[in-house]
């Protein structure tokens, strides 16, 4: 075994050191582009375009609806010194032997030391440092290039070099001597600061007038970096523009020793009302600090330490930081030993040379070393693997019981369903509670004392910004037998009412995968309630019960066995199968079952997993989904199919909802799934079908919108346009309305100039002379703006819309709270109107968006975002369960940035049978 002396020399390995400790002079290998990757497409199309589309300017403001006075979590920012400049400098950090410093977390300490040591040489300037290679000042430094040398005490007590035994007193080898020339507890650094650019604060004033530029974006970035630095100096965990204090009272257990840690998001925004600071409560996942072994037992729900799955533990622990007793040194975990502590051998170098001046080595186990040389008796970890904090070829082993996880370490693995539920439950805050917490946090942050903000004359109000909203009336809905209803508080029901277009179920069966409920009773109740809703349900052909011998078989086998049983007893393919599953959460039968039904047989299927005998409300909700899947409609807007719905009925109009779902964090090998849904049977806006494709992991731009192979287009858009044409009396859409989910402001240009171009290309491929008009909106849920009633503790009422004051100074955007927020604080959807050739007025467009929150067939309440986007997410999630990946978990919509596509050897989804492909199978 080798040990550590804590002097940070482990960085040499990460920076290209070879086995002897000498830094390799070889350059990095050139990037390898797999043969089937097409990097040119996304990279250069934008550059080649001469007339790039940009987000459209606001045409006006909406006027309809009841006015309401609101508060929002934006705090006014005044900038006094708009004539000044931020100066941008590049920072390069080196060890005294010339090697670059690439370790994370050291940079801030080094720059703080530079500022402290050379304060007068820097003309007393304050720094805004991003922790890596960029530094900003208000006003220029004395010189365009400045070099400094500093010494940091104990900079790498938190580092490990992994080349000596744990007590640090053994005699070093030749390679070790090279590292030990530097002091054990201090380190010399060289710092180069070079001028890069000048940013006028006047750019902020221009941005507030809607004249955004690279300078204004950089100036706002500087202000955000100042906030991050302010939080870093308070010892916070930083996650982009959010920060989390090390305060146990802010943490809640969500299961498996994972904590939901409450913190705050803080960022500057330019708005119609000027500059504002947007501050919100946010939550991240951290690992409970304390003994590593306690964490592993809790995380795996193990009976005892000897039941731990160590291969899983190795993946969980990798890169986490620990504090080792009794030395209190910090290390990063690199792995686990292959053998237990009492069996894991290493070579121990003797302290003194022999008579020939050579250092002899002896083989010893880790447990014996700690007992005999460190005088530490291991109570229980001798029979468990060791923590490795060294390198692959130079391990450093430490017994588990001496290791404790340090606080504020993010947990980036996927949460299971129960943890996610606990997180939602425990992070809820009622509106008044959230306002109180935010006011206190702003006061505690004390931004007015931040020297850099003071020097450029920035002051932040402590008052929530007042805005005027409007409450749009709910659209009237049509039900069965000619009845209509006005939703109240965003909700309605089917008590004593029928579905507007009920279906008929004649040939169907029930399948029971060992669920503990009275299936016969469920069938009788379903037929009775279906009749009351207008659905004529015949008695099922048969109820298939899973045999006891199959209950412990793999999921795929259980599904195959069930289908063999069905095929042997049925005269033909059933119209519908009701499937009763044994587990509600993450049932591993769900994916194989859906895949078998939809891709091999073309059977509509509805799964249910009742925890107790289902009541009438449960079965009514089930029938909402069954009716929609079989081609029926539960309710619809009263204006659908009437000339009164002028924005849709005047000319053939198709509505698209587009979303990309990614694998959970840490699943870099899992393909992303792109889904586009489209309306059908114009002039309806309540019926949709979906097209779903896989694409490279984490790629946010949809890659299969158009896919021309010779004379054929196999892309998503052509498939949807053809369906619209055939389902709408052979009418081509003249208007195409697109709702895009899951992209940030930085990706708007790509949506406008790549995705929209591909949709246009798909139209032209079908008919060169066809020129439909487009409306393109982006919907964002992943933002931090909240609204509060100024004179009421409740959430804002459903239908609340805001398009002024805190919206963009120039671009066309608005916030809509379409749903009734029953728990926590309502999160509005932020809609950005990027492109409009159709020419909607603000009121027409806002009312259309609001109405599309009322056509979601799965529920009897308005939803928070338009139905086409929800359907796209459902379709992607359902077909994602078809894919069999290692460590697969639920797909979750992500709003991260675009990443370079990896090798495009992406497993393709199986094709759905035609009779279900055009249905709302995802409902």
């Amino acid at each position: 075994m080798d040990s550590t002396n804590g002097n940070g020399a482990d960085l040499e390995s990460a920076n290209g050191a070879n086995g002897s400790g000498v830094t390799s002079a070889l350059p990095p290998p050139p990037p390898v582009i797999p043969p089937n990757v097409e990097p040119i497409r996304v990279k250069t199309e934008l550059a080649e375009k001469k007339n790039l589309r940009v987000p459209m300017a606001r045409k006006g403001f909406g006027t309809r609806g009841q006015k309401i006075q609101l508060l929002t979590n934006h705090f006014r920012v005044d900038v006094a010194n708009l004539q000044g400049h931020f100066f941008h400098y590049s920072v390069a950090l080196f060890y005294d032997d010339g090697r670059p410093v690439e370790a994370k977390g050291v940079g801030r300490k080094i720059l703080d030391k530079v500022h402290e040591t050379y304060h007068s040489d820097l003309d007393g300037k304050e720094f805004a440092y991003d922790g890596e290679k960029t530094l900003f000042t208000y006003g220029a430094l004395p010189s365009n290039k400045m070099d400094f040398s500093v010494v940091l005490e104990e900079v790498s007590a938190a580092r490990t070099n992994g080349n000596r035994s744990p007590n640090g007193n053994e005699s070093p080898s030749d390679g070790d001597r090279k590292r030990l020339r530097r002091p054990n507890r201090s380190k010399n650094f060289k710092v180069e600061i070079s001028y890069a650019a000048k940013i006028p604060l006047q750019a902020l004033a221009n941005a507030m007038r809607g004249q955004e530029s690279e300078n204004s974006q950089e100036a706002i970035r500087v202000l955000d970096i100042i906030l991050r630095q302010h939080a870093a100096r308070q010892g916070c965990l930083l996650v982009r523009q959010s920060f989390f204090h090390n305060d146990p009272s802010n943490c809640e257990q969500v299961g498996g020793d994972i904590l939901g840690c409450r913190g705050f998001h803080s960022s500057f925004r330019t708005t119609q009302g000027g500059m504002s600071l947007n501050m919100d409560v946010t939550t991240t996942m951290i690992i409970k600090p304390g003994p590593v072994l306690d964490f592993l037992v809790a995380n795996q729900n193990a009976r005892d330490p000897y039941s731990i799955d160590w291969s899983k533990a190795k993946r969980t622990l990798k890169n986490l930081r620990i504090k080792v007793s009794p030395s209190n040194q910090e290390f990063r975990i690199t792995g686990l030993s292959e053998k237990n502590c009492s069996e894991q051998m290493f070579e121990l170098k003797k302290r003194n040379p022999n008579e020939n001046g050579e250092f002899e080595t002896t083989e010893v186990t880790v447990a014996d070393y700690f007992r005999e040389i460190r005088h530490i008796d291991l109570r229980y970890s001798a029979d468990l693997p060791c923590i490795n904090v060294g390198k692959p070829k130079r391990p450093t082993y430490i017994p588990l019981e001496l290791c404790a996880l340090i606080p504020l370490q993010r947990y980036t693995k996927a949460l299971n369903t129960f943890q996610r539920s606990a997180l939602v439950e425990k992070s809820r805050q009622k509106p008044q509670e959230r306002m109180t917490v935010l006011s206190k946090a702003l006061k505690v942050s004390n931004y007015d004392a931040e020297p850099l903000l003071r020097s450029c004359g920035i002051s932040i109000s402590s008052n929530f910004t007042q805005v005027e909203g409007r409450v749009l009336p709910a659209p009237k809905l049509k039900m069965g037998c000619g009845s209509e209803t006005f939703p109240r508080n965003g909700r309605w029901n089917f008590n004593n009412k029928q579905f507007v277009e009920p279906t008929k179920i004649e040939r169907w069966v029930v399948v029971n995968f060992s669920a503990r409920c009275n299936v016969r009773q469920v069938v009788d109740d379903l037929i009775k309630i279906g009749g009351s809703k207008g659905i004529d349900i015949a008695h099922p052909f048969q109820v298939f019960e899973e045999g006891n011998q199959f209950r412990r078989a793999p999921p795929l086998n259980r599904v195959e066995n069930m289908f063999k049983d069905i095929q042997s007893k049925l005269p033909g393919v059933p119209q519908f199968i009701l499937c009763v599953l044994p587990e509600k959460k993450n049932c591993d039968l769900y994916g194989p079952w859906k895949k078998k039904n939809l891709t091999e047989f073309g059977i509509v299927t509805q799964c249910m997993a009742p925890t107790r005998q289902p009541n009438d409300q449960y079965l009514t909700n089930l029938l909402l989904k069954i009716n929609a899947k079989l081609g029926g409609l539960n309710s619809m807007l009263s204006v659908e199919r009437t000339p009164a719905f002028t924005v849709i009925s005047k000319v053939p109009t198709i509505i698209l909802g587009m979303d990309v779902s990614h694998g959970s964090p840490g699943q870099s090998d899992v393909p992303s799934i792109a889904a586009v849904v489209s309306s059908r049977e114009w002039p309806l806006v309540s019926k949709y079908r979906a097209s779903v494709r896989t694409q490279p992991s984490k790629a946010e731009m949809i890659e299969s919108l158009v896919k021309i192979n010779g004379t054929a287009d196999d892309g998503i858009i052509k498939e949807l346009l053809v369906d619209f044409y055939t389902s709408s009396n052979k009418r081509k859409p003249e208007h195409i309305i697109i709702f895009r989910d899951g992209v940030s402001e930085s990706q708007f240009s790509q949506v406008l100039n790549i995705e929209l171009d591909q949709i246009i290309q798909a139209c032209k491929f079908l008919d060169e002379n066809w020129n439909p008009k487009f409306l393109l909106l982006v919907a964002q849920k992943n933002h931090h703006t909240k609204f509060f009633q100024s004179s009421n503790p409740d959430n804002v009422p459903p239908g609340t819309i805001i398009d002024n004051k805190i919206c963009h100074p120039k671009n066309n955007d608005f916030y809509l709270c379409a749903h009734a927020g029953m728990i926590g604080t309502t999160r509005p959807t932020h809609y950005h109107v990027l492109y409009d050739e159709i020419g909607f007025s603000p009121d027409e467009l806002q009312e259309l968006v609001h109405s599309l929150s009322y056509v979601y067939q799965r529920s009897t309440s308005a939803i928070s975002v338009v139905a086409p986007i929800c359907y796209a997410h459902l379709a992607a999630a359902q077909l994602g369960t078809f894919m069999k990946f290692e460590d697969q978990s639920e797909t979750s919509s992500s709003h991260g940035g675009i990443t370079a596509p990896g090798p495009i050897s992406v497993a393709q989804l199986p094709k759905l049978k035609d009779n279900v492909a055009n249905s709302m199978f995802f409902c």
Side-chain angles (χ1 to χ4, degrees), residues 84-89 121-127 135-144 146 195 197-198:
H85 290 80
F86 285 128
F87 282 75
H88 173 190
Y89 294 89
D121 298 78
L122 296 164
D123 277 359
K125 296 287 183 193
E126 298 293 336
F127 289 166
L135 178 147
F136 296 93
T137 61
Y138 179 70
L141 293 176
S143 172
N144 281 352
M146 304 184 79
Y195 170 78
K198 185 163 76 167

Side-chain angles (χ1 to χ4, degrees), residues 529-678:
I529 295 167
S532 72
K533 305 305 169 204
I535 301 179
D536 185 4
I537 307 176
H539 279 276
F541 183 86
Q542 189 165 342
V543 175
F544 292 90
E545 298 277 356
E546 183 179 42
N548 289 335
Q549 69 271 29
F550 299 125
R551 290 185 181 185
R552 297 192 180 276
L556 207 56
N557 293 7
R558 294 174 72 181
V559 169
E560 290 291 342
N561 290 326
M562 184 63 78
F563 259 96
K564 282 177 187 173
D565 195 16
I566 293 171
Q567 285 176 293
S568 68
K569 293 175 182 172
L570 282 190
V573 176
Q575 172 195 8
F576 169 69
I577 299 179
L578 179 67
C579 174
V580 189
L581 296 173
E583 299 142 1
K584 185 172 183 178
K585 304 288 186 184
N586 289 346
C587 182
D588 52 10
L589 287 163
Y590 182 86
W593 174 256
K594 287 286 184 182
K595 182 178 177 182
K596 190 83 175 171
N597 278 275
L598 297 175
T599 65
E600 292 187 33
F601 291 95
I603 302 171
V604 172
T605 177
Q606 176 62 50
C607 294
M608 61 184 292
T611 51
R612 54 182 179 273
Q613 199 66 25
N615 58 22
D616 287 4
Q617 185 60 58
Y618 182 103
L619 294 174
T620 300
N621 291 341
L622 202 70
L623 283 163
L624 291 173
K625 301 170 75 174
I626 293 170
N627 190 49
K629 287 178 179 179
L630 289 170
L633 267 180
N634 305 324
S635 61
M636 58 193 281
L637 302 175
S638 289
V639 293
E640 285 185 69
R641 291 205 180 112
T642 74
F645 200 19
T646 53
V647 293
I648 299 295
S649 62
K650 197 162 34 177
V651 298
T653 302
I654 187 172
I655 298 174
L656 304 179
M658 299 166 46
D659 186 30
V660 179
S661 289
H662 305 297
S664 299
Q667 292 182 306
S668 58
D669 57 335
V670 178
S672 293
I673 298 177
V676 184
V677 304
S678 62

Side-chain angles (χ1 to χ4, degrees), residues 63-69 468-471:
T63 57
R64 294 178 192 166
Q66 181 78 36
K67 290 183 179 177
I68 183 172
Q69 297 305 313
E468 184 177 85
R470 292 171 288 116
V471 181

Side-chain angles (χ1 to χ4, degrees), residues 20-296:
S20 65
V22 179
T23 303
S24 169
L26 289 175
V32 176
I33 300 175
N36 53 350
V37 173
E38 299 177 22
I40 296 173
R41 186 166 132 201
V42 170
K43 195 172 179 182
T44 64
E45 271 191 19
L46 279 176
E48 289 172 2
K49 291 272 180 195
K50 290 182 181 175
N51 299 313
L52 287 181
R53 300 184 191 96
V54 295
M56 65 178 286
R58 185 185 302 279
K59 291 179 180 176
F61 298 91
T63 57
R64 294 178 192 166
Q66 181 78 36
K67 290 183 179 177
I68 183 172
Q69 297 305 313
L70 303 169
L71 299 173
T72 183
N73 57 338
H74 285 239
F75 301 88
R76 180 180 173 83
V77 175
D78 289 308
V79 187
N81 301 340
L82 283 171
Q83 302 311 310
H85 290 80
F86 285 128
F87 282 75
H88 173 190
Y89 294 89
S90 296
V91 177
L93 307 176
F94 303 93
Y95 295 106
D96 58 356
D97 61 3
R99 289 177 302 119
V101 175
E102 293 181 2
K104 288 187 176 180
V106 182
R108 289 191 188 278
K109 295 177 183 176
I110 296 172
L111 265 293
D112 283 347
K113 190 71 172 179
V114 168
H115 189 265
E116 175 192 324
T117 310
Y118 298 97
H119 192 68
S120 57
D121 298 78
L122 296 164
D123 277 359
K125 296 287 183 193
E126 298 293 336
F127 289 166
Y129 177 53
D130 72 348
E132 295 181 9
K133 297 181 179 180
T134 305
L135 178 147
F136 296 93
T137 61
Y138 179 70
L141 293 176
S143 172
N144 281 352
K145 192 169 190 311
M146 304 184 79
D147 297 328
F148 304 99
S149 294
V150 290
V151 177
L152 276 195
E153 300 299 321
E154 298 190 7
V155 64
S156 54
R159 304 286 166 191
T160 171
N161 70 352
N163 63 348
R164 297 172 64 237
S165 51
N167 67 348
N169 328 344
E170 277 67 55
S171 184
S173 66
D174 288 345
D176 295 333
R177 284 198 199 97
K178 290 177 183 175
R179 292 182 174 82
L180 288 177
R181 286 173 191 157
R182 292 184 293 278
N184 191 31
R185 291 292 182 181
S186 64
K187 213 163 189 52
N188 296 316
F189 294 94
K190 294 175 183 175
V191 182
E192 293 178 2
I193 298 176
S194 311
Y195 170 78
K198 185 163 76 167
I199 305 157
L201 261 70
Q202 187 62 42
L204 291 175
N206 296 342
M208 287 183 267
R209 292 194 293 269
Q211 300 165 8
E212 287 188 323
S213 64
E214 199 172 317
N215 272 339
S216 65
Q217 290 167 358
E218 274 293 283
I220 292 171
R221 179 173 164 240
V222 177
L223 298 179
D224 285 339
I225 286 171
I226 293 171
L227 297 189
R228 279 176 58 84
Q229 177 174 271
H230 187 77
R233 286 175 175 165
Q234 296 174 351
C236 293
L237 165 67
L238 304 180
V239 183
R240 293 180 293 277
Q241 282 303 126
S242 299
F243 50 91
F244 304 86
H245 290 273
N246 184 17
D247 181 354
S249 68
N250 288 337
C251 297
E252 293 276 4
Q253 265 278 10
V254 299
D257 265 8
I258 306 303
L259 309 178
C261 180
R262 192 178 73 189
F264 300 95
H265 167 90
S266 241
S267 64
F268 288 96
R269 312 278 297 179
T270 51
T271 68
Q272 292 171 29
M275 179 80 69
S276 70
L277 176 71
N278 178 208
M279 195 164 184
D280 193 23
V281 179
T282 186
T283 304
T284 194
M285 298 297 99
I286 63 170
I287 287 168
K288 183 180 178 182
V292 171
L293 201 59
D294 291 358
F295 166 71
L296 290 176

Side-chain angles (χ1 to χ4, degrees), residues 762-838:
C763 295
K764 290 292 185 185
F765 195 81
L766 285 169
D767 181 352
E768 185 63 39
N769 299 314
W770 178 27
N771 296 301
K773 292 181 178 179
F774 289 90
L775 169 68
L776 172 58
L777 299 93
V778 166
Q780 291 178 332
K781 293 283 286 179
N782 193 22
H783 61 82
H784 290 278
T785 296
K786 302 287 192 300
F787 297 101
F788 311 90
Q789 296 195 62
S790 47
S791 56
N792 190 323
D794 295 335
N795 270 311
V796 297
T800 298
I801 195 162
I802 297 94
D803 62 1
N804 60 74
K805 200 155 186 180
I806 60 142
C807 290
H808 194 278
K810 178 184 175 186
N811 296 349
N812 191 357
D813 67 327
F814 59 90
Y815 293 89
L816 175 62
C817 304
H819 63 301
M822 307 305 289
I823 47 179
T825 304
T826 297
R827 173 178 292 188
T829 299
H830 191 185
Y831 290 97
H832 301 261
V833 188
L834 299 189
Y835 192 70
D836 181 13
E837 291 180 315
I838 300 171

